[in-house]
């Protein structure tokens, strides 16, 4: 379980990271909003939970929340902040935070809230992934688009799941090869392009908006039609 700690206070950041590591979590620290967005993007679906301070230099915590929520729909994000008014809490939760903890906090309570958030996200995440009119049933490994069942071969499934877990993000051929095939797979191979082609044929039918975009020179992106 990898936790992204977004905190500009050196002392609190190091206390959180050490505490999390001693409980068996992976911890990555970001000290500004921009660092947080970059770190989350680099972690892709390896990101399991975010602890988010609101008072940050540069991009404010709420703006970071908006960006992370768009890109990581189901990742639990717990706000950890000194802002303790009801208005602050309502705003944070309404903008997509999973939970809200005010400083000073008890580390044991924070750990319990982390466990609770992860339990909920695992239950939700284990059942279904959805982007636009496309749904993946993780348990039965069946995909549905606009109500039509789509049968996928195992690699096609892995590729589509990778896209679905990283919607709106450009995934390079190398990232896809490393994730869906294996590290060190011949980078000159066109297997990614071939499989994206298979997926496109299976996902598209007349009247439906194509979801898989080619980003010239960069890779591929799963784009919900509303995000264009
Ligand atoms: Ca702060």
């Amino acid at each position: 379980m990898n936790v992204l700690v977004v905190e500009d206070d050196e002392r609190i950041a190091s206390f959180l990271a050490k505490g999390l590591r001693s409980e068996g979590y992976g911890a990555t620290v970001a000290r500004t909003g921009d660092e947080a967005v970059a770190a989350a993007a680099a972690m892709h679906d390896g990101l399991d939970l975010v602890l988010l301070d609101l008072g940050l230099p540069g991009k404010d915590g709420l703006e970071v929340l908006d960006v992370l929520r768009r890109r990581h729909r189901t990742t639990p994000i717990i706000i950890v902040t000194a802002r303790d008014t009801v208005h602050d809490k309502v705003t944070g939760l309404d903008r997509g935070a999973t939970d809200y903890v005010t400083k000073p906090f008890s580390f044991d309570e924070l750990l319990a809230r982390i466990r609770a958030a992860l339990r909920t996200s695992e239950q939700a995440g284990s059942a279904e992934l959805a982007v636009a009119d496309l749904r993946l049933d993780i348990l039965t490994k069946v995909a549905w688009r606009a109500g039509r069942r789509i049968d996928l071969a195992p690699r096609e499934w892995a590729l589509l799941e990778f896209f679905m877990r990283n919607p709106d993000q450009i995934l390079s051929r190398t990232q896809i090869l490393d994730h869906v095939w294996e590290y060190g797979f011949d980078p000159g191979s066109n297997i990614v392009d071939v499989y994206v082609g298979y997926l496109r044929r299976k996902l598209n039918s007349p009247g439906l908006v194509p979801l898989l975009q080619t980003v010239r020179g960069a890779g591929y992106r799963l784009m919900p039609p509303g995000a264009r």
Side-chain angles (χ1 to χ4, degrees):
M1 287 290 172
N2 293 307
V3 179
L4 176 61
V5 177
V6 186
E7 173 60 74
D8 61 319
D9 183 312
E10 198 91 25
R11 201 177 43 86
I12 299 175
S14 125
F15 166 76
L16 284 172
K18 274 191 200 136
L20 287 167
R21 288 185 191 125
S22 75
E23 293 292 322
Y25 295 95
T28 301
V29 173
R31 297 208 153 76
T32 66
D34 289 325
E35 259 184 59
V37 170
M43 291 163 85
H44 286 291
D45 56 353
L47 175 60
D48 296 303
L49 184 135
V50 181
L51 298 179
L52 178 64
D53 180 25
L54 290 185
L56 294 169
K59 204 192 290 287
D60 181 75
L62 287 174
E63 292 172 59
V64 176
L65 176 62
D66 289 341
V67 176
L68 293 184
R69 195 35 92 217
R70 259 201 316 276
R71 295 184 183 169
H72 304 264
R73 278 154 215 271
T74 57
T75 305
I77 301 175
I78 302 179
I79 291 177
V80 183
T81 179
R83 297 182 196 168
D84 61 357
T85 69
V86 169
H87 174 74
D88 289 323
K89 292 177 191 171
V90 169
T91 304
L93 292 168
D94 277 350
R95 277 170 77 161
T98 312
D99 200 354
Y100 197 106
V101 173
T102 53
K103 295 171 183 168
F105 55 87
S106 130
F107 190 63
D108 282 341
E109 181 184 338
L110 181 63
L111 283 176
R113 288 178 184 271
I114 289 173
R115 287 192 295 271
L118 288 174
R119 266 198 307 275
T120 308
S121 87
E122 271 165 29
Q123 282 156 12
S126 66
E128 188 175 290
L129 284 173
V131 173
D133 55 0
L134 183 59
R135 282 191 300 122
L136 296 193
D137 186 322
I138 303 291
L139 297 176
T140 60
K141 294 218 184 298
V142 174
W144 304 80
R145 172 121 202 244
R148 182 174 63 91
R149 180 190 166 114
I150 301 166
D151 290 307
L152 298 167
R155 290 284 187 191
E156 295 169 346
W157 173 272
L159 180 59
L160 183 57
E161 183 177 354
F162 190 39
F163 277 119
M164 297 279 284
R165 288 193 186 276
N166 299 279
D168 290 349
Q169 291 182 36
I170 300 170
L171 301 176
S172 72
R173 284 177 180 76
T174 310
Q175 284 172 329
I176 295 171
L177 271 181
D178 287 350
H179 186 89
V180 178
W181 280 267
E182 65 223 36
Y183 284 97
F185 197 93
D186 174 13
S189 155
N190 69 343
I191 195 161
V192 171
D193 311 270
V194 170
Y195 270 79
V196 168
Y198 292 159
L199 267 188
R200 280 193 171 130
R201 276 196 289 281
K202 289 194 172 180
L203 297 180
N204 287 350
S205 53
L208 294 181
V209 182
L211 294 175
L212 280 172
Q213 233 185 19
T214 303
V215 183
R216 200 173 291 278
Y220 294 101
R221 171 161 57 181
L222 179 69
M223 280 284 273
R228 268 158 230 264

